[in-house]
Amino acid sequence: MLDTKPALFELDGVRPEIHKTAWVAPGAVVIGAVSVAEGANIWFNCTLRADTNTIAIGARTNIQDGTVIHVNAGAEFAARIGADVTVGHAAIVHACTLHDRAFVAMGAIVLDGAVIEEGGMLAAHSTLQPGKRIGRNELWMGTPARLMRVMSDAERALHDQIAPHYAAQAVRFRQGLKAL
């Protein structure tokens, strides 16, 4: 039987703060100093472990199935994820910053101290090395990731449809998902 609640854990007296309009799927694990803003959604089998620093998930951001978000000690190694960000299935986001509308595609890895600026995108199965920075609306790809090009406004507009889609899906799942 499917447990209809996510696994939320307090650690050392610090508990996750989940906005009442956010949705965290059954099977997701959220530990410690994690904040999830309004309309954000954390999908099945994600792990957000804020044991040595903080994780902040912005409004309407979607963290898709199987993603792992973790941190390191030190002010520069929190995980800061802005509003309307998409993090694709099975990504790893570690101690980095994703600005508003950033996009981390499926299976991609973002490492310590890296930054993806507003509208920047890391392609599927790519690795952004520690301390690297993806500029505004840039598309990076590969392992290690390298700049491919700056995305057009039309291309970027297509990607901007994903966050509202997932926000709507989260409402649907909150209202309609039933354990059997």
Side-chain angles (χ1 to χ4, degrees):
M1 184 166 158
L2 175 69
D3 184 356
T4 57
K5 293 184 180 180
L8 304 177
F9 294 97
E10 179 178 307
L11 179 65
D12 300 330
V14 179
R15 62 179 46 198
E17 296 178 8
I18 313 293
H19 190 276
K20 67 182 179 181
T21 63
W23 187 68
V24 182
V29 178
V30 181
I31 302 167
V34 177
S35 64
V36 181
E38 65 274 6
N41 38 97
I42 313 299
W43 291 85
F44 302 95
N45 299 316
C46 289
T47 300
L48 284 67
R49 180 163 55 101
D51 53 353
T52 59
N53 212 323
T54 60
I55 296 172
I57 307 295
R60 299 166 307 281
T61 285
N62 60 96
I63 308 299
Q64 296 175 15
D65 311 63
T67 291
V68 173
I69 302 176
H70 190 230
V71 294
N72 268 338
E76 70 276 19
F77 295 121
R80 297 174 190 92
I81 301 174
D84 301 304
V85 171
T86 292
V87 178
H89 308 287
I92 298 173
V93 174
H94 200 273
C96 60
T97 300
L98 309 178
H99 289 277
D100 296 349
R101 298 175 45 247
F103 189 119
V104 176
M106 292 184 280
I109 300 170
V110 185
L111 294 172
D112 299 32
V115 175
I116 301 179
E117 293 182 11
E118 184 170 353
M121 180 176 183
L122 180 62
H125 300 287
S126 297
T127 300
L128 188 61
Q129 293 180 303
K132 293 290 186 178
R133 183 177 212 95
I134 294 177
R136 185 179 177 98
N137 297 330
E138 290 179 350
L139 169 62
W140 285 45
M141 183 182 300
T143 301
R146 299 192 190 295
L147 174 64
M148 295 290 113
R149 62 182 158 60
V150 175
M151 292 180 282
S152 69
D153 290 342
E155 182 179 17
R156 190 53 241 185
L158 287 173
H159 296 304
D160 285 341
Q161 295 175 19
I162 297 171
H165 166 75
Y166 268 87
Q169 284 290 84
V171 170
R172 175 181 169 225
F173 274 70
R174 172 183 312 178
Q175 294 173 348
L177 185 67
K178 305 290 183 220
L180 299 177

